[in-house]
Amino acid sequence: MMKIRSHAPLLFMTVTILISILSFSLQAMASDELFQPTIPQRVLQPVSVNARAATLVHVPETTIVPAHKADGPEYQLGAGDVLKITIFNEADLSGEFKVDGIGKIALPLVGNILVGGKTLRQIETAIAAVYADGYLVDPSVNAEVLNYRPFYILGEVQNPGSYPYVEGINVMNAIALAGGFTYRAKEDDFLITRASNVNEAKQAFGPDAVILPGDIIEVQERFF
């Protein structure tokens, strides 16, 4: 009779090996998860509109003080202005005239006439009235400014003094013409004496303020 050989020991050994391999794999996976470095995630916090607005820096607007334009109808003439006076059909009476230190010009036939502190329209009316008084019949007069009187800048600038007036010039332009500030200069506001109001106190103006012929600009010294 043939004997049947039992395979139980071999089967038991195979199962044991498989269990060992499976156990080792599970331990390795657990170890990887345990020691895997954690990458921190940046959490973005929502920023509200109000929070952003709070970071804005408020820059105050420069206040520009209105002034009559030099070529406007309200400009008042003064010493140093040069006028061109035209009396129609009277070439001998027309010409260029400079306003003297007391605000007068010398006209042919009629002599000195006060023009300081007057506008061009007022001067035209005054000259026409003078010539109509025994010299001309219904004279027609036109007056215009050929050259404006200079302005003056004093105080903490490199080259204080008088400078030719240019239409539309402002305080910062004037300071640039004078070579810029000194290291002691106060650079945010300035004192101006208007030529048309020399009897009034100095007024504070910002850097964009328009200046007029004859104005006196003072750049002050800062205290710190």
Side-chain angles (χ1 to χ4, degrees), residues 112-145:
N112 292 332
I113 179 173
L114 181 65
V115 296
K118 296 182 179 180
T119 66
L120 290 175
R121 303 293 80 82
Q122 291 172 334
I123 292 170
E124 290 172 349
T125 301
I127 293 175
V130 170
Y131 279 111
D133 187 15
Y135 297 95
L136 301 173
V137 176
D138 194 20
S140 179
V141 179
N142 180 72
E144 58 183 301
V145 180

Short mmCIF file of all heavy atoms in Angstrom, two decimals, residues 112-145:
data_model
loop_
_atom_site.label_atom_id
_atom_site.label_comp_id
_atom_site.label_asym_id
_atom_site.label_seq_id
_atom_site.Cartn_x
_atom_site.Cartn_y
_atom_site.Cartn_z
N ASN A 112 2.62 164.85 -17.11
CA ASN A 112 2.50 163.67 -16.24
C ASN A 112 1.05 163.33 -15.95
O ASN A 112 0.22 164.21 -15.70
CB ASN A 112 3.23 163.92 -14.92
CG ASN A 112 4.74 164.02 -15.11
OD1 ASN A 112 5.30 163.42 -16.03
ND2 ASN A 112 5.40 164.76 -14.24
N ILE A 113 0.79 162.01 -15.94
CA ILE A 113 -0.53 161.52 -15.58
C ILE A 113 -0.35 160.30 -14.68
O ILE A 113 0.51 159.45 -14.93
CB ILE A 113 -1.36 161.17 -16.84
CG1 ILE A 113 -2.74 160.63 -16.42
CG2 ILE A 113 -0.63 160.18 -17.72
CD1 ILE A 113 -3.69 160.41 -17.60
N LEU A 114 -1.13 160.23 -13.64
CA LEU A 114 -1.01 159.13 -12.67
C LEU A 114 -1.66 157.87 -13.23
O LEU A 114 -2.84 157.87 -13.60
CB LEU A 114 -1.68 159.52 -11.36
CG LEU A 114 -1.61 158.47 -10.24
CD1 LEU A 114 -0.17 158.25 -9.80
CD2 LEU A 114 -2.48 158.91 -9.05
N VAL A 115 -0.87 156.78 -13.27
CA VAL A 115 -1.40 155.50 -13.73
C VAL A 115 -1.21 154.40 -12.68
O VAL A 115 -1.81 153.32 -12.79
CB VAL A 115 -0.73 155.05 -15.05
CG1 VAL A 115 -1.04 156.03 -16.17
CG2 VAL A 115 0.78 154.88 -14.88
N GLY A 116 -0.38 154.64 -11.68
CA GLY A 116 -0.14 153.64 -10.65
C GLY A 116 -1.41 153.30 -9.88
O GLY A 116 -2.16 154.19 -9.49
N GLY A 117 -1.65 152.01 -9.69
CA GLY A 117 -2.84 151.57 -8.99
C GLY A 117 -4.08 151.49 -9.85
O GLY A 117 -5.16 151.14 -9.35
N LYS A 118 -3.95 151.78 -11.15
CA LYS A 118 -5.09 151.74 -12.05
C LYS A 118 -4.98 150.55 -13.00
O LYS A 118 -3.90 150.05 -13.28
CB LYS A 118 -5.18 153.03 -12.86
CG LYS A 118 -5.45 154.28 -12.03
CD LYS A 118 -5.57 155.52 -12.91
CE LYS A 118 -5.87 156.76 -12.08
NZ LYS A 118 -5.98 157.98 -12.92
N THR A 119 -6.13 150.12 -13.50
CA THR A 119 -6.15 149.06 -14.51
C THR A 119 -5.96 149.68 -15.89
O THR A 119 -6.04 150.91 -16.06
CB THR A 119 -7.48 148.30 -14.48
OG1 THR A 119 -8.53 149.18 -14.89
CG2 THR A 119 -7.77 147.78 -13.08
N LEU A 120 -5.72 148.84 -16.88
CA LEU A 120 -5.53 149.35 -18.25
C LEU A 120 -6.76 150.08 -18.75
O LEU A 120 -6.65 151.12 -19.42
CB LEU A 120 -5.19 148.19 -19.18
CG LEU A 120 -3.81 147.54 -18.99
CD1 LEU A 120 -3.65 146.33 -19.89
CD2 LEU A 120 -2.69 148.56 -19.26
N ARG A 121 -7.94 149.56 -18.45
CA ARG A 121 -9.17 150.23 -18.92
C ARG A 121 -9.31 151.61 -18.26
O ARG A 121 -9.74 152.57 -18.90
CB ARG A 121 -10.38 149.36 -18.61
CG ARG A 121 -10.34 147.96 -19.19
CD ARG A 121 -10.43 147.94 -20.72
NE ARG A 121 -9.17 148.22 -21.38
CZ ARG A 121 -8.20 147.33 -21.59
NH1 ARG A 121 -8.34 146.09 -21.16
NH2 ARG A 121 -7.10 147.66 -22.23
N GLN A 122 -8.96 151.69 -16.99
CA GLN A 122 -9.03 152.98 -16.30
C GLN A 122 -8.03 153.97 -16.88
O GLN A 122 -8.32 155.17 -17.00
CB GLN A 122 -8.78 152.78 -14.80
CG GLN A 122 -9.90 152.04 -14.08
CD GLN A 122 -9.54 151.69 -12.64
OE1 GLN A 122 -8.36 151.56 -12.30
NE2 GLN A 122 -10.55 151.55 -11.79
N ILE A 123 -6.86 153.47 -17.25
CA ILE A 123 -5.84 154.34 -17.84
C ILE A 123 -6.30 154.85 -19.21
O ILE A 123 -6.13 156.04 -19.54
CB ILE A 123 -4.51 153.58 -17.96
CG1 ILE A 123 -3.94 153.30 -16.56
CG2 ILE A 123 -3.50 154.36 -18.81
CD1 ILE A 123 -2.77 152.37 -16.56
N GLU A 124 -6.89 153.98 -20.00
CA GLU A 124 -7.40 154.41 -21.31
C GLU A 124 -8.43 155.53 -21.16
O GLU A 124 -8.41 156.53 -21.89
CB GLU A 124 -8.03 153.22 -22.04
CG GLU A 124 -7.01 152.18 -22.49
CD GLU A 124 -7.66 150.93 -23.04
OE1 GLU A 124 -8.90 150.78 -22.88
OE2 GLU A 124 -6.95 150.09 -23.62
N THR A 125 -9.32 155.35 -20.18
CA THR A 125 -10.35 156.37 -19.95
C THR A 125 -9.73 157.69 -19.49
O THR A 125 -10.13 158.78 -19.95
CB THR A 125 -11.35 155.87 -18.90
OG1 THR A 125 -11.96 154.66 -19.36
CG2 THR A 125 -12.43 156.91 -18.63
N ALA A 126 -8.74 157.60 -18.58
CA ALA A 126 -8.10 158.81 -18.06
C ALA A 126 -7.34 159.56 -19.14
O ALA A 126 -7.41 160.81 -19.23
CB ALA A 126 -7.17 158.44 -16.91
N ILE A 127 -6.61 158.85 -19.99
CA ILE A 127 -5.83 159.50 -21.05
C ILE A 127 -6.77 160.14 -22.08
O ILE A 127 -6.53 161.27 -22.55
CB ILE A 127 -4.88 158.49 -21.71
CG1 ILE A 127 -3.81 158.05 -20.71
CG2 ILE A 127 -4.24 159.09 -22.96
CD1 ILE A 127 -2.88 156.96 -21.24
N ALA A 128 -7.83 159.42 -22.43
CA ALA A 128 -8.78 159.98 -23.39
C ALA A 128 -9.40 161.27 -22.84
O ALA A 128 -9.58 162.25 -23.59
CB ALA A 128 -9.87 158.95 -23.69
N ALA A 129 -9.69 161.29 -21.55
CA ALA A 129 -10.30 162.49 -20.95
C ALA A 129 -9.32 163.66 -20.97
O ALA A 129 -9.72 164.82 -21.23
CB ALA A 129 -10.73 162.17 -19.52
N VAL A 130 -8.04 163.40 -20.71
CA VAL A 130 -7.04 164.47 -20.70
C VAL A 130 -6.89 165.09 -22.09
O VAL A 130 -6.86 166.32 -22.25
CB VAL A 130 -5.69 163.94 -20.18
CG1 VAL A 130 -4.59 164.98 -20.40
CG2 VAL A 130 -5.80 163.59 -18.70
N TYR A 131 -6.77 164.23 -23.11
CA TYR A 131 -6.59 164.76 -24.47
C TYR A 131 -7.87 165.38 -25.03
O TYR A 131 -7.82 166.26 -25.90
CB TYR A 131 -6.09 163.65 -25.40
CG TYR A 131 -4.59 163.42 -25.30
CD1 TYR A 131 -4.09 162.24 -24.75
CD2 TYR A 131 -3.70 164.37 -25.77
CE1 TYR A 131 -2.72 162.03 -24.65
CE2 TYR A 131 -2.32 164.17 -25.68
CZ TYR A 131 -1.84 163.00 -25.11
OH TYR A 131 -0.48 162.81 -25.02
N ALA A 132 -9.00 164.93 -24.54
CA ALA A 132 -10.26 165.52 -25.01
C ALA A 132 -10.48 166.92 -24.44
O ALA A 132 -11.31 167.68 -24.96
CB ALA A 132 -11.42 164.61 -24.62
N ASP A 133 -9.73 167.26 -23.41
CA ASP A 133 -9.86 168.57 -22.78
C ASP A 133 -8.99 169.61 -23.49
O ASP A 133 -7.94 170.03 -23.00
CB ASP A 133 -9.48 168.47 -21.30
CG ASP A 133 -9.76 169.76 -20.54
OD1 ASP A 133 -10.50 170.62 -21.06
OD2 ASP A 133 -9.22 169.89 -19.42
N GLY A 134 -9.41 169.97 -24.70
CA GLY A 134 -8.75 171.04 -25.43
C GLY A 134 -7.69 170.60 -26.42
O GLY A 134 -7.05 171.45 -27.05
N TYR A 135 -7.45 169.30 -26.59
CA TYR A 135 -6.40 168.85 -27.50
C TYR A 135 -6.95 168.07 -28.70
O TYR A 135 -6.59 168.33 -29.84
CB TYR A 135 -5.38 167.99 -26.76
CG TYR A 135 -4.64 168.74 -25.67
CD1 TYR A 135 -5.08 168.70 -24.34
CD2 TYR A 135 -3.51 169.49 -25.97
CE1 TYR A 135 -4.41 169.38 -23.35
CE2 TYR A 135 -2.83 170.19 -24.97
CZ TYR A 135 -3.28 170.13 -23.66
OH TYR A 135 -2.62 170.82 -22.68
N LEU A 136 -7.78 167.08 -28.44
CA LEU A 136 -8.29 166.22 -29.50
C LEU A 136 -9.81 166.11 -29.39
O LEU A 136 -10.38 166.30 -28.32
CB LEU A 136 -7.68 164.81 -29.40
CG LEU A 136 -6.14 164.71 -29.50
CD1 LEU A 136 -5.70 163.27 -29.22
CD2 LEU A 136 -5.65 165.17 -30.88
N VAL A 137 -10.41 165.78 -30.53
CA VAL A 137 -11.85 165.58 -30.56
C VAL A 137 -12.13 164.08 -30.50
O VAL A 137 -11.72 163.32 -31.40
CB VAL A 137 -12.47 166.19 -31.83
CG1 VAL A 137 -13.97 165.89 -31.88
CG2 VAL A 137 -12.21 167.69 -31.88
N ASP A 138 -12.79 163.68 -29.44
CA ASP A 138 -13.19 162.27 -29.25
C ASP A 138 -12.01 161.31 -29.50
O ASP A 138 -12.08 160.45 -30.39
CB ASP A 138 -14.36 161.94 -30.18
CG ASP A 138 -15.03 160.62 -29.79
OD1 ASP A 138 -14.86 160.18 -28.63
OD2 ASP A 138 -15.70 160.01 -30.66
N PRO A 139 -10.93 161.42 -28.72
CA PRO A 139 -9.77 160.54 -28.93
C PRO A 139 -10.09 159.09 -28.56
O PRO A 139 -10.85 158.82 -27.63
CB PRO A 139 -8.71 161.12 -28.00
CG PRO A 139 -9.50 161.80 -26.92
CD PRO A 139 -10.73 162.34 -27.59
N SER A 140 -9.49 158.17 -29.31
CA SER A 140 -9.62 156.73 -29.03
C SER A 140 -8.26 156.21 -28.57
O SER A 140 -7.27 156.33 -29.30
CB SER A 140 -10.08 155.99 -30.29
OG SER A 140 -10.19 154.60 -30.03
N VAL A 141 -8.23 155.65 -27.37
CA VAL A 141 -6.95 155.28 -26.74
C VAL A 141 -6.93 153.78 -26.45
O VAL A 141 -7.93 153.20 -25.99
CB VAL A 141 -6.74 156.06 -25.43
CG1 VAL A 141 -5.42 155.65 -24.76
CG2 VAL A 141 -6.80 157.55 -25.68
N ASN A 142 -5.77 153.17 -26.69
CA ASN A 142 -5.55 151.77 -26.32
C ASN A 142 -4.27 151.68 -25.50
O ASN A 142 -3.24 152.26 -25.86
CB ASN A 142 -5.42 150.88 -27.56
CG ASN A 142 -5.19 149.42 -27.18
OD1 ASN A 142 -6.09 148.74 -26.70
ND2 ASN A 142 -3.97 148.94 -27.39
N ALA A 143 -4.33 150.96 -24.39
CA ALA A 143 -3.16 150.79 -23.52
C ALA A 143 -2.90 149.30 -23.31
O ALA A 143 -3.83 148.52 -23.11
CB ALA A 143 -3.40 151.48 -22.18
N GLU A 144 -1.62 148.93 -23.35
CA GLU A 144 -1.23 147.55 -23.08
C GLU A 144 0.13 147.54 -22.39
O GLU A 144 0.90 148.51 -22.51
CB GLU A 144 -1.18 146.72 -24.36
CG GLU A 144 -0.24 147.27 -25.42
CD GLU A 144 -0.29 146.47 -26.71
OE1 GLU A 144 -0.01 145.25 -26.64
OE2 GLU A 144 -0.60 147.05 -27.76
N VAL A 145 0.41 146.47 -21.68
CA VAL A 145 1.68 146.35 -20.96
C VAL A 145 2.69 145.65 -21.86
O VAL A 145 2.46 144.52 -22.32
CB VAL A 145 1.51 145.56 -19.65
CG1 VAL A 145 2.85 145.46 -18.92
CG2 VAL A 145 0.47 146.22 -18.75
#
